[in-house]
Amino acid sequence: MKATFSTWYLTAIIATGLAFFALALSAYATGQQALIFIGMGIFMATTMTMASLFAQRRRKALALDSK
């Protein structure tokens, strides 16, 4: 069974969200605040990249439908 793009989209967002959560807990436990900013940067980069890819695919599909 082949996974759809939406499945990969959700998987990437959830995985980076969980990684950010783990880094935030580590930062809280160890007192290293830099881990929060690293996790936030990774989460934001992944979210923005996936949103951009999703928008490009949607725009491409809409362009094909309008022809």
Side-chain angles (χ1 to χ4, degrees), residues 5 9 13 44-60:
F5 181 75
Y9 177 81
I13 299 297
M44 287 176 57
T46 304
T47 303
M48 301 272 293
T49 301
M50 294 305 290
S52 176
L53 291 173
F54 188 76
Q56 288 174 6
R57 296 188 90 175
R58 185 175 173 133
R59 185 174 44 236
K60 189 179 193 181

Side-chain angles (χ1 to χ4, degrees), residues 2-67:
K2 186 177 178 183
T4 64
F5 181 75
S6 296
T7 304
W8 287 111
Y9 177 81
L10 287 173
T11 303
I13 299 297
I14 290 169
T16 55
L18 291 173
F20 175 55
F21 180 70
L23 280 173
L25 283 179
S26 298
Y28 178 74
T30 62
Q32 295 180 356
Q33 299 301 318
L35 291 176
I36 290 177
F37 296 112
I38 291 169
M40 193 182 323
I42 293 169
F43 181 72
M44 287 176 57
T46 304
T47 303
M48 301 272 293
T49 301
M50 294 305 290
S52 176
L53 291 173
F54 188 76
Q56 288 174 6
R57 296 188 90 175
R58 185 175 173 133
R59 185 174 44 236
K60 189 179 193 181
L62 289 174
L64 290 175
D65 285 344
S66 66
K67 287 184 177 182

